[in-house]
Amino acid sequence: MTNTWHVLVEETRTLERWLDHRQIETEHWSLAVSEPVAGPETAADRARELAGAYLPDWMARPDRPGDRPRRRAYLTAGGSWLVTLAHEKGRRDYCHLRITPAQMMLDEAETRG
């Protein structure tokens, strides 16, 4: 049992597949970051910082390092942040983020029987 605090960053990923000669897009959430922090106040502060600054590596533009996508951030009543990132000019890249302060309550090692 543990009770360490973390800030979790989840992001959407869009997968494109072809099925019966049709392009199908599916979207799912994946955990991208689990950053340990000192406590609940630090977790809330760090979540706010990440809501304003986090950018997935795959969304960065190496050919234009000063460019940043459009960012909209919402603080929910539960303390999580929902963020939308979008490159609107010339590309169709977008991403949704959920940034949450969280207390890790369980961390069990794998066992083999």
Side-chain angles (χ1 to χ4, degrees), residues 55 59-69 87 89-91:
L55 182 65
M59 202 171 187
R61 290 180 155 179
D63 56 330
R64 301 178 70 176
D67 284 5
R68 292 182 52 109
H87 284 296
K89 295 182 179 167
R91 285 175 45 172

Side-chain angles (χ1 to χ4, degrees), residues 7-95:
V7 175
L8 308 177
V9 178
E10 299 167 273
E11 60 186 61
T12 56
R13 297 285 177 144
T14 301
L15 300 175
E16 294 180 358
R17 297 190 176 146
W18 287 88
L19 180 65
D20 295 330
H21 306 289
R22 284 188 240 151
Q23 185 177 5
I24 308 277
E25 286 188 4
T26 58
E27 195 171 270
H28 70 277
W29 289 90
S30 63
L31 182 62
V33 175
S34 176
E35 182 179 312
V37 293
E41 295 82 17
T42 307
D45 291 343
R46 183 64 180 142
R48 183 177 53 251
E49 291 170 9
L50 288 172
Y54 181 81
L55 182 65
D57 291 340
W58 62 269
M59 202 171 187
R61 290 180 155 179
D63 56 330
R64 301 178 70 176
D67 284 5
R68 292 182 52 109
R70 176 182 184 176
R71 181 181 302 263
R72 285 189 172 167
Y74 304 90
L75 177 60
T76 69
S80 293
W81 289 84
L82 295 175
V83 181
T84 300
L85 302 173
H87 284 296
E88 296 175 339
K89 295 182 179 167
R91 285 175 45 172
R92 208 185 104 213
D93 294 346
Y94 65 93
C95 178

